[in-house]
């Protein structure tokens, strides 16, 4: 309660196979009453998702997260970021609220979605939705207009889930991510192909622990122990390591119902 995430973006929002949506990576979370820039004025978060008040260094509340969610929905429905350009241009556009309307980027976007996003992304927090309850009420009120205005292909959704991460070059040279199988509180589970052997495998990409060095060391230590275990009822750990800061485990892929 009264916590501000400060880094709402596609890579931190996981869509599970059962339809649940999980917000991840709470490494930047702070209590609303104490959330400002760092003491040195450092910006924490991903630049094109930062709210105007975050850039201004003022106290943040839940409406800063609502602004970031608006940016995510804009991208989800149009395939484009509202804030294009270099860092200086992006920050200036965020401060002044200058970006193309969704309908100018994709004319097929329902007007209600555009009104929803514009309210989320208002420069003045007072002009945004007050909270998630108010957002839900808006969506419920305009349900008839919104239903059917967006369609999702399951295959494309799974592909985009795999594509939301910027895997490192060494990781990409070893594995090809084929589809997302599930998400957990710790990260994503992918079906992938080991390129050297053409073997299908399961990869647990543990993004939740990318900033916790102590946990990462423990994960990799335990993965080595599991790799040494060979038994019929134990899934073998074929590989483990770090893709940049993110720990991962590679295991046998077991098909089942």
């Amino acid at each position: 309660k009264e916590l501000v995430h400060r880094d709402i973006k596609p890579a931190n929002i996981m869509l599970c196979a059962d339809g649940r949506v999980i917000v991840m990576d709470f490494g930047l979370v702070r209590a609303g009453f104490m959330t400002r820039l760092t003491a040195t004025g450092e910006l924490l978060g991903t630049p094109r998702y930062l709210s105007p008040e975050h850039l201004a260094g003022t106290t943040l509340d839940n409406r800063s997260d609502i602004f970031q969610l608006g940016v995510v929905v804009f991208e989800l429905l149009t395939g484009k970021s509202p804030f294009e350009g270099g860092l200086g241009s992006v920050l200036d556009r965020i401060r002044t609220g200058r970006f193309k309307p969704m309908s100018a980027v994709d004319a097929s976007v329902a007007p209600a979605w555009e009104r929803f996003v514009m309210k989320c992304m208002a420069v003045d927090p007072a002009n945004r939705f007050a909270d998630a309850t108010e957002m839900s009420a808006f969506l419920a009120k305009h349900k008839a207009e919104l239903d059917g205005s967006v369609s999702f292909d399951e295959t494309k959704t799974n592909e985009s889930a795999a594509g939301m991460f910027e895997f490192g070059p060494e990781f990409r040279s070893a594995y090809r991510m084929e589809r997302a199988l599930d998400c957990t509180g710790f990260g994503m589970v992918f079906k992938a192909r080991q390129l050297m052997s053409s073997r299908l495998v399961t990869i647990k990409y543990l993004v939740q622990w990318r900033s916790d060095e102590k946990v990462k060391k423990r994960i990799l230590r335990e993965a080595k122990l599991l790799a040494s275990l060979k038994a019929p009822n134990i899934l073998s750990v074929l590989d483990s390591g770090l893709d940049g800061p993110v720990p991962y485990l590679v295991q046998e892929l077991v098909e089942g119902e």
Side-chain angles (χ1 to χ4, degrees), residues 8 10 128 148 157 167 195 222 235:
I8 298 294
R128 295 179 204 150
T157 301
F167 301 110
L195 296 179
E222 292 178 356
L235 278 180

Side-chain angles (χ1 to χ4, degrees), residues 218-251:
R218 191 183 75 223
I219 288 172
L220 297 181
R221 185 173 62 248
E222 292 178 356
K224 288 182 179 179
L225 290 173
L226 287 172
S228 67
L229 298 177
K230 305 296 180 184
N233 296 322
I234 296 178
L235 278 180
S236 298
V237 174
L238 306 174
D239 187 19
S240 62
L242 296 175
D243 179 35
V246 180
Y248 66 87
L249 301 178
V250 181
Q251 293 181 285

Side-chain angles (χ1 to χ4, degrees), residues 161-194:
M164 72 172 60
F165 297 103
E166 295 181 4
F167 301 110
E170 186 175 340
F171 189 85
R172 292 199 308 271
S173 68
Y175 301 100
R176 184 178 72 239
M177 312 304 267
E178 298 205 344
R179 66 189 299 264
L181 296 176
D182 198 4
C183 64
T184 69
F186 306 118
M188 294 292 294
V189 180
F190 294 103
K191 177 181 179 180
R193 188 171 296 277
Q194 194 174 46

Side-chain angles (χ1 to χ4, degrees), residues 61-188:
D61 60 22
N62 64 296
R63 293 172 298 180
S64 180
D65 287 346
I66 288 174
F67 179 92
Q68 293 186 314
L69 181 61
V71 178
V72 171
V73 175
F74 187 109
E75 293 183 348
L76 178 67
L77 297 181
T78 68
K80 301 287 185 181
S81 169
F83 305 116
E84 302 285 356
L87 179 60
S89 174
V90 166
L91 299 184
D92 182 62
R93 289 174 183 275
I94 291 173
R95 290 189 185 98
T96 58
R98 291 188 296 112
F99 58 90
K100 285 185 179 181
M102 294 175 70
S103 55
V105 180
D106 185 342
S108 68
V109 173
W113 276 122
E114 184 158 30
R115 294 195 300 274
F116 176 83
V117 168
M118 292 296 290
K119 189 169 180 64
C120 286
M121 294 177 60
V123 173
D124 185 347
N127 293 329
R128 295 179 204 150
F129 293 105
D131 50 35
T133 300
E134 191 172 305
M135 295 169 74
S136 296
F138 178 95
L139 295 175
K141 179 179 179 181
H142 299 282
K143 185 176 184 298
E145 180 181 348
L146 298 174
D147 278 354
S149 65
V150 179
S151 61
F152 294 98
D153 179 271
E154 183 178 355
T155 302
K156 291 183 178 179
T157 301
N158 287 323
E159 290 175 350
S160 64
M164 72 172 60
F165 297 103
E166 295 181 4
F167 301 110
E170 186 175 340
F171 189 85
R172 292 199 308 271
S173 68
Y175 301 100
R176 184 178 72 239
M177 312 304 267
E178 298 205 344
R179 66 189 299 264
L181 296 176
D182 198 4
C183 64
T184 69
F186 306 118
M188 294 292 294

